[in-house]
Amino acid sequence: MTAEHVLAPTPATAYRWRWPALTALLLGEAMNLLDTTIVQVAAPAIHADLGGSVSDIQWFTTAYTLPFAVLLITGGRLGDIAGRRRLFVVGVTGFMLASTACALAPTVGLLIAFRAVQGAAAALIIPQTIGLIKAMFSGDEMSKALGGIGPVMGLAAVCGPVLGGVLTHADLFGSSWRATFLVNVPVSLVVLALAPKLLENRAPQRPALDLTGTLLAAIGVGLVVYPLVGADIAAMSAWRWGAVVAGPLLMVVFALHQRRVAAAGRSPVVEPSLFAHRGFPAALVTSASFFAVTNGLMTVVVLQLQLGLGTDVLDAGLTLAPWSVGLAVASWVAGAHLVRRHGHRVMSLGLAVLLLGALAAIAVYHEADPTSYPEPLLIALGVAGLGVGLFSPAFFTIALKPLRPQEIGSAAGLLNAVQQLGATLGVAVLGSVYLDSAEPGGPSAALHAVQAAFWVAVALVVVSFVTSRSMLAKDASEKAGAQR
């Protein structure tokens, strides 16, 4: 009998500490999202205090999301091998220590390095959640436990930008932006106090780590992202373009390596059989382009408000609140009601509403006074947030629907990794589009720059719509084949 069979509870012998343990898992999930959104709002204040290049503002986010994206699947494999509770505790401990180091960082370079450590620690935390929930819950209770992830993440999405603004603005004990990292410490301590209530759990058959594949993926993605951060995209140097081209070529090598690893009977980073479903690559492109929009736009809104308009960090955080509230409400409604009734139409509706919100924001910026706070922007961002919330539950449901049960875990991990990669590229590309045009032209230039970034986002939403249709076409063809 395997360890997983021993540890998994049955309805008759439900694990008594399952609900406190679930609290630890949900707090760990929320902490990751909170950290990302809090730092996005505080980033200009960090730059003002520590100095350095203005492009460092982008690195405060990308240094976190890049290792998170690349190591996410490997983090899941490590949990399969060494035990999911053990890796969860190691990840939370590392996240807490890295957060403390970020708060104490005296220079920009050290802060960016510690952010990378934070991202790597998060890659150990997040992949363990589903497996641990399945180990402690069964039947209807498992559905309830898994259903708790959405509302908690929605609450984190709402609180993150506001909390980032409040903490930085409050300047508690002279901490300024450093409090945005220190807030992770008490949360981590609560999680660690509850962690002993988690059941240990690991895969019945321990997979081997594909370290070569992980390294190829990390270098390939890094070659794409690094040249884009802080670059004048319209006039990039030859070496930057060379790196951008070399990155995808290295990813081709990575794909070939994955095929060889799978053919040899070993455990690849990415399961090659996923790509036998022609709709799955379309789902990956959709995920990357969509989350590039969501994270990139949040960044440029904050940059325009704080660097271009000179607003307070608290005002910047509150400006993003309608987006976050719209996202949380629409995500709950879509997940609880709309997706079951209307299926893929909810995904298309979400993209349409997001597009409407982005175009409305462009119109607001076009008519705005360069020296005044654009109050109608709050409505536009609220509409965009509704679109994001409608899209996400429908997208993940449709992306995973045609896959075989044994492919679901690998596919979910890959989709989450690509989501983080899209977020990284969005901050890099949209942030660079904004900074290229805004510096050092003053409020008017900043207003035109943010419009340019939003137009790029509109183009990415259109890409998401086209690729999402490919997902739907494949789904329809599979249904037709099944009917024959």
Side-chain angles (χ1 to χ4, degrees):
M1 186 176 290
T2 66
E4 189 169 35
H5 289 133
V6 171
L7 295 174
T10 65
T13 58
Y15 178 55
R16 62 178 297 191
W17 298 110
R18 60 195 183 280
W19 296 110
L22 176 65
T23 302
L25 296 175
L26 295 180
L27 283 175
E29 288 267 353
M31 191 166 58
N32 165 58
L33 180 57
L34 273 172
D35 187 82
T36 304
T37 53
I38 283 176
V39 174
Q40 279 182 318
V41 172
I46 299 173
H47 169 68
D49 183 31
L50 295 183
S53 169
V54 71
S55 65
D56 290 336
I57 294 175
Q58 294 165 275
W59 277 114
F60 298 150
T61 297
T62 55
Y64 178 89
T65 55
L66 186 56
F68 184 27
V70 172
L71 298 175
L72 193 60
I73 296 176
T74 300
R77 290 284 164 80
L78 286 170
D80 292 338
I81 296 169
R84 296 185 176 105
R85 181 179 70 179
R86 181 178 300 170
L87 263 292
F88 182 81
V89 170
V90 169
V92 172
T93 303
F95 193 89
M96 179 178 66
L97 295 175
S99 297
T100 304
C102 287
L104 300 176
T107 66
V108 170
L110 283 174
L111 176 59
I112 291 173
F114 294 142
R115 285 289 282 163
V117 176
Q118 263 193 316
L124 298 180
I125 298 170
I126 302 304
Q128 318 311 330
T129 301
I130 302 299
L132 288 170
I133 288 176
K134 289 183 176 180
M136 296 184 295
F137 292 87
S138 61
D140 291 339
E141 282 195 345
M142 184 190 296
S143 298
K144 292 178 181 178
L146 291 172
I149 295 175
V152 169
M153 297 304 283
L155 181 62
V158 172
C159 295
V162 177
L163 189 59
V166 169
L167 288 174
T168 306
H169 178 78
D171 193 23
L172 299 173
F173 308 106
S175 59
S176 182
W177 58 268
R178 298 178 189 273
T180 62
F181 294 105
L182 290 174
V183 72
N184 293 324
V185 175
V187 178
S188 297
L189 290 173
V190 172
V191 174
L192 291 174
L194 293 171
K197 304 301 182 184
L198 293 166
L199 276 177
E200 185 56 284
N201 175 259
R202 58 179 59 88
Q205 296 180 340
R206 300 185 184 186
L209 283 180
D210 180 11
L211 296 179
T212 301
T214 300
L215 185 62
L216 286 171
I219 296 174
V221 172
L223 285 173
V224 174
V225 174
Y226 180 78
L228 296 176
V229 177
D232 183 348
I233 295 177
M236 282 209 307
S237 62
W239 80 264
R240 287 181 182 269
W241 281 118
V244 171
V245 172
L249 293 177
L250 197 59
M251 295 307 293
V252 173
V253 176
F254 166 75
L256 295 174
H257 172 75
Q258 295 300 282
R259 287 181 179 273
R260 286 196 297 269
V261 170
R266 302 195 303 272
S267 301
V269 176
V270 175
E271 179 56 55
S273 68
L274 293 172
F275 296 90
H277 306 276
R278 286 184 293 173
F280 191 73
L284 295 179
V285 176
T286 303
S287 179
S289 57
F290 176 81
F291 288 103
V293 171
T294 59
N295 287 267
L297 287 185
M298 290 180 70
T299 296
V300 297
V301 168
V302 169
L303 290 175
Q304 190 272 333
L305 288 172
Q306 293 191 59
L307 299 184
L309 195 57
T311 60
D312 184 82
V313 62
L314 179 59
D315 290 334
L318 292 174
T319 299
L320 293 178
W323 172 296
S324 299
V325 172
L327 185 159
V329 172
S331 179
W332 178 79
V333 172
H337 304 288
L338 298 181
V339 175
R340 285 182 295 179
R341 296 179 183 177
H342 304 289
H344 65 81
R345 296 181 183 86
V346 181
M347 183 170 66
S348 299
L349 175 63
L351 290 171
V353 174
L354 174 58
L355 183 63
L356 177 62
L359 291 173
I362 292 172
V364 170
Y365 284 123
H366 181 72
E367 298 297 328
D369 180 346
T371 60
S372 299
Y373 180 85
E375 293 183 0
L377 180 65
L378 298 174
I379 298 174
L381 293 180
V383 172
L386 288 172
V388 176
L390 289 170
F391 172 88
S392 297
F395 167 75
F396 285 105
T397 300
I398 294 164
L400 298 175
K401 184 178 180 181
L403 304 181
R404 293 174 294 177
Q406 63 268 30
E407 295 173 329
I408 296 295
S410 179
L414 184 55
L415 282 170
N416 283 328
V418 170
Q419 173 184 338
Q420 296 301 321
L421 175 59
T424 304
L425 289 171
V427 172
V429 173
L430 296 186
S432 293
V433 168
Y434 173 81
L435 293 173
D436 289 348
S437 303
E439 292 293 323
S444 295
L447 207 57
H448 287 101
V450 75
Q451 291 177 64
F454 265 81
W455 277 118
V456 174
V458 165
L460 289 172
V461 174
V462 173
V463 169
S464 297
F465 181 80
V466 172
T467 54
S468 69
R469 300 303 297 179
S470 298
M471 292 169 58
L472 301 179
K474 179 58 182 173
D475 187 52
S477 66
E478 287 179 346
K479 287 182 179 179
Q483 289 173 354
R484 294 193 202 102

